[in-house]
Amino acid sequence: MPPDQTRLRAALQLVQAGRFPDAEAACKGLVQEEPDNAEARSLLAQLMLRRGATPEAIEHLKEAVNLAPKSAMHRIMLGQALVSLGDWRAGLAALSGAVLIAPGQFEPLAALGFALARSGNREAAHETLGKCIPLLPANADLCRQFAQAARDAGQWEAAGAGFMRVGDLLPKDAASRIAVAESYAARSEPRTALNWARRAVALEPGNASAWSLVATLLERLGEDEGAVAAGRRALELDGAQVGAAIALSHALRRLGRAEEALGVLHKIAGSFVGPPPHPGFAGEMGHVLEAMGDRAGAWKAFEAGRAAWREVAGSRRLSPEAFPRLVDSLLTFVRETDFSGWPRSRGGGARPAPVFVVGFPRSGGALVERMLAGATKALIADEWPLVRTMTDALVAARPGGKGFPGAIGVMDEKLRAALEGAYWKRLESRVGAAALKGVTVVDKLPLNILALPLIRRVFPEAKVIVTLRDPRDVVLSCFTQDFELSEGMSQFLSLEGTARFFVQVMDFWQVCKERLGLAALEVRYEDAMRDGPGSTRALLGFLGLGEQKQTGASIGEKPRPVRTGRVARWKDYHEQLAPVMGLVEASVTRLGYATV
């Protein structure tokens, strides 16, 4: 007997009228009378999911899939329901089945891509969502929804492409250009982001948010005079643009106009109702007060800034314990693994390995970047998560059933080559294969120091630059500097947490240095500040590059100015740092710094 479409339509009308309990009751009655009605079971499952009865809904969706095995939509709903309960294996299998049933269709690919992103398989998510881009419908609202979902999932390339599609469909829409700019900024491409922000300004010259973003990007690029002009324009249009005020203050401060910067911050603070609406406001106030010699006031502001960021971290449910646990597991892996049998090279024909610049954040990576870019033909990947591509692929592969980091020790040559291929593929997707010919690729991301065992296994002959700096200056700088919030950067939300994380990471480096057999050079921040040419010659000599005349640049971007901090800045905050001096004392001595 064919399904009773009349009763199903009646149930749908109840849904449209918002009468969800009545609709569910109608569907239950229909399913009891027609247990083979896949559409009725699917609608019943949707109503159950709406009220949180996910396990019951899953049973009906399984039946719907069995009854209508060629329906991609039933599999999509089943997969999403399973994923919501944390059953990743079954959920991803159901979604992959939907893609196989409906190849080349947008909805199954998008559902699978977002589920992969939630599962932590970022590389597979990137590849899957990338296939969605040419399939985006000619509907601005749907494209915007896709782009927003990609942004929320941290899939910035897909988000940017989705917002570009919105812009194509809405040629006069400034908001989509702003969103594209934000996606490029999140991918560490501020110059490209600036171009898109300026397109938004051209479309809507009175758009304060667009001007604010232009100011922020110009400040990030070190174009301080331009940042001042853009920031002032944003505030003329909307005096409550806190981001513009922060960028303007930062630029004025670097131009030596701290009193003007303080005036900007005080003026906008007068408009606040309650705490500052931007967590970075107090931190910028701290830097301005420090520039004016008010160390006590600066420290109070820095602490207020960290309290504001802790509120944000709590709302995002970040786990501050995740990174310390990861470092502990990596430390155990390096201490207990026998590296004597690990290959020392990848064999003939391999393309030259990247140079990896690692270290603790705020320890001199940007200074090394400029030393290399100014003296060699180098393409510098400035804080791009390329190594994470390999980590994701390794975690997905689970060789020997092991997770990370144990999987590093059991991978075979086939998997090693696959991880290397994933690295180059991701890099080529951003710059093109032609851009990599005849250059030295410099991969600079400080906390890649935690990936040294993986780097050693995948690129055994790679040379590694490790930046070092006085631990007290590093801890102070990390505590007072705003970062993009993540589980890694959440370590810096308290002074003690910052110091403990520094000690843990640098202890890990010492063990790697002793056991991994890396081709590594330590570059001391203070030495490079004191004798830049000499440090550059030593660096190039280690890399075997010599002093070349070509000028390199960050990949896809013009070189950014290096903003160096002061040597021994910690002495100005000796009293405030006293609670953590004991924690870093051993590191200070081991790295050869004076204790006073």
Side-chain angles (χ1 to χ4, degrees), residues 95-96 99 105-117 121-135 146 155 158 426:
L95 293 168
S96 298
V99 171
Q105 289 192 16
F106 173 77
E107 290 82 0
L109 280 169
L112 176 59
F114 290 128
L116 287 166
N121 194 339
R122 290 167 292 215
E123 188 59 22
H126 165 77
E127 184 174 346
T128 303
L129 292 174
K131 295 176 182 177
C132 293
I133 304 307
L135 303 174
F146 169 83
Q155 291 288 318
R426 172 52 71 93

Side-chain angles (χ1 to χ4, degrees), residues 53 80 85 113 141 187 191 208 212 235 251 254 297 310 342 344 347 382 385-386 415 440 442 468 590:
Q80 291 173 330
L85 290 183
D141 289 338
R187 292 159 55 193
R191 182 69 60 183
S212 180
L235 292 170
R254 283 206 309 272
R310 284 195 292 273
W342 281 28
R344 297 298 312 180
D382 184 10
L386 300 170
L415 180 55
T440 299
V442 179
L468 301 178
R590 184 172 60 207

Side-chain angles (χ1 to χ4, degrees), residues 8 14 70 90 101 106 144 162 166 168 252 255 257 272 289 307 361 402 458 492 500 509 525 555 578 591:
L8 188 60
L14 290 170
K70 294 185 178 180
I101 289 170
F106 173 77
R144 197 186 304 274
V166 175
D168 291 340
L252 287 169
L255 290 168
R257 296 153 61 181
F272 297 162
L289 292 173
K402 292 183 177 290
V458 178
F492 305 144
R500 290 190 182 281
W509 159 239
Y525 178 87
I555 294 176
L591 294 176

Side-chain angles (χ1 to χ4, degrees), residues 394-413:
L394 178 62
V395 169
R398 290 186 62 83
K402 292 183 177 290
F404 189 84
I408 303 172
V410 298
M411 75 168 75
D412 57 17
E413 172 57 22

Side-chain angles (χ1 to χ4, degrees), residues 112-201:
L112 176 59
F114 290 128
L116 287 166
R118 288 183 60 193
S119 75
N121 194 339
R122 290 167 292 215
E123 188 59 22
H126 165 77
E127 184 174 346
T128 303
L129 292 174
K131 295 176 182 177
C132 293
I133 304 307
L135 303 174
L136 283 168
N139 181 302
D141 289 338
L142 292 177
C143 291
R144 197 186 304 274
Q145 290 173 19
F146 169 83
Q148 290 169 342
R151 179 180 60 193
D152 293 343
Q155 291 288 318
W156 290 105
E157 289 185 42
F163 285 120
M164 284 184 197
R165 179 65 171 146
V166 175
D168 291 340
L169 295 168
L170 302 175
K172 296 183 179 181
D173 180 53
S176 60
R177 275 71 177 179
I178 292 174
V180 173
E182 290 170 342
S183 73
Y184 275 108
R187 292 159 55 193
S188 297
E189 296 186 54
R191 182 69 60 183
T192 307
L194 178 60
N195 292 337
W196 279 94
R198 282 175 166 158
R199 293 186 195 185
V201 166

